[in-house]
Amino acid sequence: MTGETRLRELICTLARSMFDRGLTSGSTGNISARTGDGGLLVTPTGSSFGRLDPARLARFDATGRQVEGDKPTKEMPLHAAFYDTRSTAGAVVHLHSCHSVALSMLPDVDPDNFLPPLTPYAIMQLGRVKLLPIFLPGDPAMGAAVHGLAGKRTAVMLANHGPVVAGKDVEAACNAIEELEATARLALLTRGLGRRLLPHAHIRAGATHPGVDGDPRHSRPPWALSGPTGRCPTRSEPPARRVSTLSNATGPMARPQPRWPGPWTKPVCPCWA
């Protein structure tokens, strides 16, 4: 069995496991994962996590061109944004999980820190989770919103929609998004009960844990990178936002090329090239 065959089987196995445990339903949710040659495997649009066929996963080569498989998820701009801005991303998982979506609907959640610090594991695997506005499914603006975070977050929560998590590989991304959903469930169960949050020292210790998928271009973890200025941590000026598009950039706008070339994004801020 080749490495790609094993990856195809693993994507479908993990997806089926999440489906069977009610973490997503119907034809919702999508997964992408890097292949050994720099390409991507992506779950098809309209497919159910409970009935994925490894042979029908969409396959992209290293240039972003689809070379086989079914039509990919319509959330490709969202996935591409994580690959473009996070060099460590080896997989991206998006679910429509019930408790995290319910928590995103409440009026008093912190948009910069969606999950309250209830357990060390969410902090160790996710860092701070950014709550993004409501977007229609497939809206390319979701990718633009992730680009605007300049790689500082490993996970985001799409309001009234679902979580999206990038990880070093597909197992890490699935584990992290399950931790996000479990923490959201805890937040709802303990809401209004005078719950005891983690001490600040434990929060900071968890944020420096290797499980927090910080980008190696920075020496500080994602928790420390967030701040009120929104500035790029390696430059004195704010990072340029990338704008999603349905066609590849050409001419002067074509450089520097995105880390994941494809028909979904324009070039990244020079400090992320």
Side-chain angles (χ1 to χ4, degrees):
M1 182 183 292
T2 66
E4 182 171 323
T5 300
R6 285 193 294 271
L7 180 57
R8 287 174 178 269
E9 295 284 351
L10 181 59
I11 289 171
C12 296
T13 297
L14 293 171
R16 177 63 184 266
S17 173
M18 290 187 287
F19 181 87
D20 287 346
R21 288 177 290 132
L23 291 167
T24 202
S25 59
S27 61
T28 64
N30 36 79
I31 298 174
S32 65
R34 285 194 186 277
T35 57
D37 63 359
L40 280 182
L41 291 172
V42 185
T43 54
T45 186
S47 59
S48 168
F49 270 23
R51 297 181 294 277
L52 289 177
D53 181 349
R56 297 181 63 179
L57 298 180
R59 174 64 155 92
F60 291 83
D61 64 19
T63 69
R65 179 175 62 93
Q66 185 172 358
V67 293
E68 63 180 86
D70 291 351
K71 183 178 178 180
T73 172
K74 57 181 173 291
E75 312 284 21
M76 278 303 297
L78 186 61
H79 290 248
F82 274 105
Y83 292 116
D84 289 347
T85 58
R86 295 188 63 82
S87 65
T88 57
V92 176
V93 180
H94 170 43
L95 299 179
H96 292 194
S97 42
C98 181
H99 296 93
S100 55
V101 173
L103 187 62
S104 77
M105 298 175 183
L106 300 181
D108 57 347
V109 294
D110 182 354
D112 195 53
N113 190 15
F114 171 66
L115 295 176
L118 300 177
T119 72
Y121 301 103
I123 296 169
M124 291 162 61
Q125 294 192 47
L126 299 160
R128 284 191 174 190
V129 178
K130 179 73 172 181
L131 178 63
L132 296 179
I134 298 174
F135 296 101
L136 290 175
D139 187 346
M142 289 188 287
V146 172
H147 277 302
L149 299 175
K152 297 176 186 177
R153 304 296 178 96
T154 190
V156 299
M157 180 68 203
L158 303 172
N160 298 60
H161 184 161
V164 192
V165 174
K168 63 187 177 80
D169 55 40
V170 69
E171 286 188 277
C174 288
N175 288 340
I177 204 167
E178 290 192 31
E179 190 64 43
L180 191 157
E181 171 65 5
T183 304
R185 184 168 184 259
L186 278 175
L188 292 172
L189 287 171
T190 60
R191 190 174 178 83
L193 299 180
R195 61 194 174 199
R196 182 176 61 250
L197 301 179
L198 286 177
H200 183 68
H202 291 199
I203 294 172
R204 291 193 62 84
T208 60
H209 191 273
V212 175
D213 188 21
D215 195 294
R217 284 171 291 211
H218 302 292
S219 60
R220 298 156 66 201
W223 197 278
L225 292 177
S226 60
T229 63
R231 293 181 177 273
C232 174
T234 59
R235 294 172 62 90
S236 59
E237 68 268 25
R241 282 177 176 263
R242 299 186 62 168
V243 180
S244 293
T245 181
L246 294 180
S247 62
N248 277 318
T250 58
M253 287 298 292
R255 292 183 179 278
Q257 289 296 324
R259 292 191 170 274
W260 168 250
W264 310 288
T265 54
K266 287 183 180 178
V268 73
C269 167
C271 65
W272 289 93

